[in-house]
Amino acid sequence: MSLFGTAGIRGDAQKSVTPSLALTVGQAVGQEATEVVIARDGRETGTALAGAVESGVTSGGARALRAGQLPTPALAYASRGRHGVMLTASHNPPPDNGIKLFVDGEEFDAEREARIEERVADGLRPVEWDAWGVTERFQALSTYRQAVVDYARAVGTDARSYADGETGATGIDLNGLTVVVDCANGMASLATPQVLRELGAHVVALNANVDGHFPGRPSKPTPVTLSDLREFVGGYDDPVVGIGHDGDADRIVIVDGTGAVVHEDTVLAILAEHYTHASDASDPVVVTTPNASDRIDERVKAVGGRTERVRLGYLHDGIAAVQADGGSVVFAGEPWKHIHPGFGSWIDGVTSAAVVSVLIATAAEKPDDPQVEGGRNGLAVLRDPITERPYRKENVACPDEHKRRAMERVPQRLSEQFPTATMNEEHGVRLAFDDGGWTLVRPSGTEPYIRVYAESTGVDELVDTVTTVVDRAVSDARN
């Protein structure tokens, strides 16, 4: 398919994700739905696109529920029992926008996307005039925020009962834990600070006014773009944790008390271990992706679970496959993106912020602990059992039209470079080495790059060698 990528439809709002496209996609959705809740992020182009989708949905014969500005996970929550359309380009730059489609709390799968794309390609006409739908206002934000609070308290209760060595522990709050949240002038501004305050945290919010120009920092949270958050957290006297979001609040980055970004796979390992430990399922499974570290597998195995890996961007397919085989998925995640099955089947950075915070608060050692003078921040306690090997990733520039030809050249060239490695081409090209190291090469589904990931004691040398191979493949593909 050419319309949908791994994260819905995305692109420049003047060239590709235009009101005319939004109108047609809205009609295609309206013709298979009864109710469609429509929301947008804070981008300048969102109002026009939301209006176009609304027109399409109603002229397609469905009721349009106008929800205004929402985090993407809040729209997903609101789509339970109905369809949903979210206008967002997530972490992309301000001129871009996008269309994400949901049904009953899940993003559209490939089959549904193909059906929408076919309808768009064939062209659509409105249904009969007397079958057009109506538009209603729809309140979703407050209900979603309260649901996250209630869920995080339940997670905290599970964690406290384990920590105290007892069952029946009730209630949890953040006990005044200081959490600094960088909302990126995005949709997290409407949810994460409010949820954490309700849970009892002392919240300091940065870039917490919604602004589609993203004046505080670029909407993609990286160690560089989060420099203000890192400096602020690193200079704080009290125990503190930092949280960085992207523009629509489905991604999350954690910053420790020194101002350092906690590796995204360590965050995955913390959550995966907790959910596996808390589960009473006979076969608890964590679904993750090939670019994620083996540290996740190690922690899940240590508490009696197993992991299954699925292609990046296809967590829902992995969940469905495990469930079809009788397994119980207790957590699913790829770097920065987490699904909490006990709460919902969508990627949810706000819920991750709440859950990670209550786990930190629960794990914190008390100041009077005789074994640790002054106690320790709970994040340090949670990281203790995790083996954090050197990990690195790089992007190799590659125009979308050359990705396929470049990737066709990669397997043979990597095999020649690393003849003793074990190769798997199921989800990109992944090499595993005898010393436990690995590397993955895969094309980005949203940006003009081929991505290289590696984990190894000699990670720099490994990445440099692999990126050289990929660079040459891209160069050959251009010619």
Side-chain angles (χ1 to χ4, degrees), residues 17-27 36-41 43-60 62-69 85-88 97-99 132-137:
V17 187
T18 61
S20 59
L21 175 64
L23 172 68
T24 308
V25 172
Q27 280 187 331
V36 183
V37 58
I38 303 165
R40 59 187 173 87
D41 67 13
R43 293 167 189 270
E44 297 295 318
T45 56
T47 301
L49 292 177
V53 169
E54 183 180 315
S55 296
V57 165
T58 52
S59 63
R63 178 184 290 112
L65 305 179
R66 186 189 302 161
Q69 290 185 340
V85 179
M86 181 71 196
L87 287 311
T88 180
N97 216 317
I99 306 172
W132 286 27
V134 299
T135 298
E136 301 175 8
R137 293 190 180 277

Side-chain angles (χ1 to χ4, degrees), residues 353-414:
V355 169
V356 169
S357 296
V358 297
L359 293 179
I360 289 171
T362 303
E365 294 174 331
K366 299 176 177 62
D368 58 355
D369 188 324
Q371 298 181 10
V372 182
E373 183 178 355
R376 285 192 305 165
N377 181 281
L379 182 55
V381 176
L382 294 172
R383 293 175 72 174
D384 271 351
I386 299 171
T387 302
E388 299 186 83
R389 302 179 185 87
Y391 182 101
R392 184 178 153 198
K393 56 190 171 185
E394 293 290 338
N395 293 325
V396 177
C398 181
D400 291 341
E401 61 269 24
H402 297 313
K403 287 178 181 175
R404 181 182 60 81
R405 291 195 298 275
M407 287 300 300
E408 287 174 351
R409 291 164 167 79
V410 167
Q412 180 178 347
R413 296 184 182 187
L414 284 181

Side-chain angles (χ1 to χ4, degrees), residues 137 154 228 316 336 425 450:
R137 293 190 180 277
D228 288 346
H316 293 100
W336 303 294
E425 298 182 54
I450 291 179

Side-chain angles (χ1 to χ4, degrees), residues 41-184:
D41 67 13
R43 293 167 189 270
E44 297 295 318
T45 56
T47 301
L49 292 177
V53 169
E54 183 180 315
S55 296
V57 165
T58 52
S59 63
R63 178 184 290 112
L65 305 179
R66 186 189 302 161
Q69 290 185 340
L70 288 179
T72 293
L75 180 280
Y77 179 85
S79 75
R80 296 171 306 156
R82 55 174 70 89
H83 285 66
V85 179
M86 181 71 196
L87 287 311
T88 180
S90 188
H91 60 276
N92 281 30
D96 286 2
N97 216 317
I99 306 172
K100 277 189 175 183
L101 305 180
F102 292 83
V103 59
D104 200 20
E106 286 192 16
E107 292 182 41
F108 269 31
D109 59 19
E111 181 180 346
R112 288 182 180 272
E113 288 180 343
R115 189 163 63 243
I116 295 297
E117 179 155 333
E118 183 177 352
R119 289 176 178 170
V120 170
D122 289 345
L124 292 167
R125 294 180 58 84
V127 298
E128 292 297 322
W129 64 270
D130 56 352
W132 286 27
V134 299
T135 298
E136 301 175 8
R137 293 190 180 277
F138 187 76
Q139 169 55 246
L141 184 59
S142 59
T143 304
Y144 166 74
R145 291 193 309 215
Q146 188 58 53
V148 175
V149 169
D150 293 342
Y151 177 75
R153 283 183 172 143
V155 168
T157 298
D158 289 339
R160 177 62 54 79
S161 67
Y162 285 122
D164 291 348
E166 61 184 37
T167 58
T170 59
I172 184 68
D173 63 40
L174 298 184
N175 299 317
L177 174 70
T178 297
V179 185
V180 183
V181 185
D182 186 337
C183 300

